Amino acid sequence: MLALPFAARAQAWRPPGQTRIIVPAAAGGTTDIMARMLAQFLQPRWNMPVVVENRTGAGGTIGTLEMVRARPDGTTLLLGNIGPQAIAYSLFRNMPYRADQILPIAGTIAGPNVLVVNSNVPVRTVAELAAMLRARPGQVPYASTGVGQSTHLSPVLMLQLLNAEAIHVPHRGSAPAQIDLLGGNVTFMIDNLTGIMGHIQSGRVRALAVTSRERNAMLPDVPAMRETMPELANYEVNTWFGLFGPVGLPAEAVTSLNAEVEALVSLPETQRRFAELGGFAMHGNPEQFAAFVRSEITRWADVIRKEGLQVDAG
């Protein structure tokens, strides 16, 4: 065994028993979907049970804390996301864990949000929306799926770059926020692409821009936000999801788990599923994913600090 190259030894690593992947979000969302894809992929490769456990609440911090407290032997992992693994550190006053207690292992999927307006709103471009916001400072309402969610902070970042103001109307989830948008009670929203795609296709809302760096294949005629105005040239937001473990997880476990995730996201059927979700695969080694997570923590801390936004975790 010692004569084998390190990569070969890492590939031989297996957890010592049944593994659970904690999802700090409700069933049915992208975090949950990704965890179940990974569990179904790992179980036959390891020849042992891999189960998914949903632990919701407090913006994803309850499920994350359970993973942080687990034995670092690979039998408890976390399929996390941009919320509890990046935004939460500066959003919540009473965070129950620190970033250095969580070990980034591998990115899985990332994808854009999309800026939409009610189809009756007389704007067809981001520049026209910006003109409306500047003409009516602090009067134009926009919806989000909740305080501190990416659907809240994506427009906050846009407004900061535009030096504009609007009224935030938070909701408990995407469905009620979309109802308010469709009813004309709010003017615009930046929502998850897959969640709002049906209303875009039906013509009930109008897509003005996607938040990713490049255009998205699901909406090839809709520009990226950074294409639309000089003030938004550096705008880029993707919701992202990845695999994490408790600090102390052996290096060979981290290397092997990263390789397993890479194998999963590289499969043609996985890439087709990601395309259906409006997302794309995240590639890279554990160090690259850790650097990405650190950059996201710093980035959203700056946005939240500038906005003066803080809430209690529970």
Side-chain angles (χ1 to χ4, degrees):
M1 184 69 174
L2 292 175
L4 292 173
F6 176 76
R9 297 202 307 271
Q11 288 299 310
W13 178 87
R14 294 290 184 271
Q18 175 174 308
T19 296
R20 60 177 180 153
I21 302 175
I22 295 174
V23 173
T30 305
T31 315
D32 181 69
I33 291 170
M34 193 66 246
R36 293 181 190 280
M37 288 176 64
L38 182 58
Q40 291 168 8
F41 179 76
L42 291 175
Q43 186 160 301
R45 290 165 76 89
W46 287 349
N47 194 30
M48 65 177 66
V50 181
V51 299
V52 173
E53 294 185 7
N54 296 86
R55 292 287 185 268
T56 62
T61 61
I62 289 176
T64 301
L65 183 61
E66 185 168 343
M67 183 277 297
V68 167
R69 291 172 170 168
R71 183 182 294 115
D73 60 2
T75 58
T76 300
L77 303 169
L78 176 84
L79 204 299
N81 62 59
I82 185 176
Q85 274 60 70
I87 292 170
Y89 296 109
S90 48
L91 175 66
F92 295 130
R93 295 186 186 93
N94 52 336
M95 276 291 286
Y97 56 84
R98 303 184 311 274
D100 61 10
Q101 294 177 283
I102 298 173
L103 192 63
I105 297 172
T108 56
I109 183 174
N113 292 326
V114 59
L115 170 62
V116 294
V117 296
N118 182 290
S119 58
N120 294 323
V121 175
V123 300
R124 295 189 171 274
T125 66
V126 175
E128 290 176 357
L129 177 62
M132 173 188 285
L133 294 170
R134 289 165 174 166
R136 299 165 53 196
Q139 299 177 43
V140 177
Y142 70 94
S144 83
T145 62
V147 174
Q149 302 294 318
S150 69
T151 57
H152 174 206
L153 296 181
S154 294
V156 163
L157 177 59
M158 179 187 76
L159 292 167
Q160 288 177 356
L161 294 172
L162 291 175
N163 195 25
E165 297 178 6
I167 302 171
H168 177 219
V169 184
H171 296 74
R172 290 183 178 273
S174 183
Q178 290 180 15
I179 289 171
D180 231 8
L181 179 68
L182 295 171
N185 299 317
V186 295
T187 300
F188 69 96
M189 179 180 182
I190 297 184
D191 199 5
N192 181 269
L193 176 59
T194 51
I196 197 77
M197 190 65 186
H199 293 314
I200 295 172
Q201 292 171 331
S202 72
R204 299 185 72 187
V205 302
R206 182 181 303 120
L208 302 186
V210 292
T211 62
S212 49
R213 181 172 180 80
E214 307 296 340
R215 297 190 182 202
N216 189 275
M218 293 180 73
L219 293 170
D221 296 327
V222 175
M225 189 86 79
R226 69 187 193 94
E227 294 179 51
T228 61
M229 297 179 68
E231 299 95 319
L232 299 173
N234 294 319
Y235 188 100
E236 180 183 358
V237 176
N238 286 300
T239 55
W240 52 263
F241 308 82
L243 186 66
F244 297 80
V247 165
L249 195 63
E252 59 268 26
V254 175
T255 302
S256 180
L257 286 165
N258 179 273
E260 296 285 13
V261 171
E262 178 65 28
L264 170 62
V265 302
S266 298
L267 291 173
E269 54 264 40
T270 303
Q271 294 174 3
R272 285 193 294 270
R273 181 67 171 131
F274 282 7
E276 292 170 1
L277 294 169
F280 52 88
M282 299 176 71
H283 299 282
N285 61 37
E287 292 75 21
Q288 291 169 324
F289 182 52
F292 168 77
V293 172
R294 288 193 299 270
S295 71
E296 286 285 280
I297 292 171
T298 300
R299 179 192 195 192
W300 292 113
D302 292 341
V303 173
I304 290 167
R305 191 178 304 113
K306 186 175 181 180
E307 189 70 6
L309 178 66
Q310 256 199 341
V311 297
D312 290 329

